[in-house]
Amino acid sequence: MSGWNVIYYFLKEIKYFQIDEATAKEITKVFKERVYDMCSAESPAQILIDIAEREFKLSRIEIPEPYRDVVIQRLDGRPEFS
């Protein structure tokens, strides 16, 4: 994976943002501009999260407490918690 795929995966599957592929592509453009001009001590991951939250107003998927530390695949599907 590279480019927008990594950003899409990171935001959706790791950070639990509600995001579609088109938005991930837009965020990728902003992120690449910002990270190449990076003069701060912020990590690229934090810059990406800030862009998603502040500029694109993305919200996170609510994950029940017992499952927050569990790796979940395909968050766009129906959860099957037992």
Side-chain angles (χ1 to χ4, degrees):
M1 290 193 300
S2 65
W4 71 268
N5 288 301
V6 171
I7 288 176
Y8 178 72
Y9 179 82
F10 176 78
L11 291 175
K12 184 174 184 117
E13 302 292 339
I14 296 175
K15 294 299 180 180
Y16 308 119
F17 281 100
Q18 295 180 10
I19 187 171
D20 58 31
E21 291 179 0
T23 303
K25 291 175 183 178
E26 291 178 39
I27 289 175
T28 301
K29 291 176 190 174
V30 174
F31 174 73
K32 285 182 177 182
E33 291 171 5
R34 185 96 25 94
V35 81
Y36 291 135
D37 294 333
M38 193 169 72
C39 297
S40 70
E42 275 189 297
S43 71
Q46 188 57 51
I47 291 171
L48 182 55
I49 291 167
D50 288 344
I51 292 169
E53 289 177 336
R54 294 184 182 145
E55 295 182 35
F56 285 81
K57 308 291 188 229
L58 296 182
S59 60
R60 293 184 190 233
I61 298 168
E62 290 297 321
I63 305 294
E65 183 68 36
Y67 303 103
R68 288 189 184 161
D69 294 328
V70 177
V71 175
I72 300 172
Q73 297 295 319
R74 300 293 308 194
L75 288 175
D76 56 346
R78 188 167 196 189
E80 297 180 19
F81 302 122
S82 52

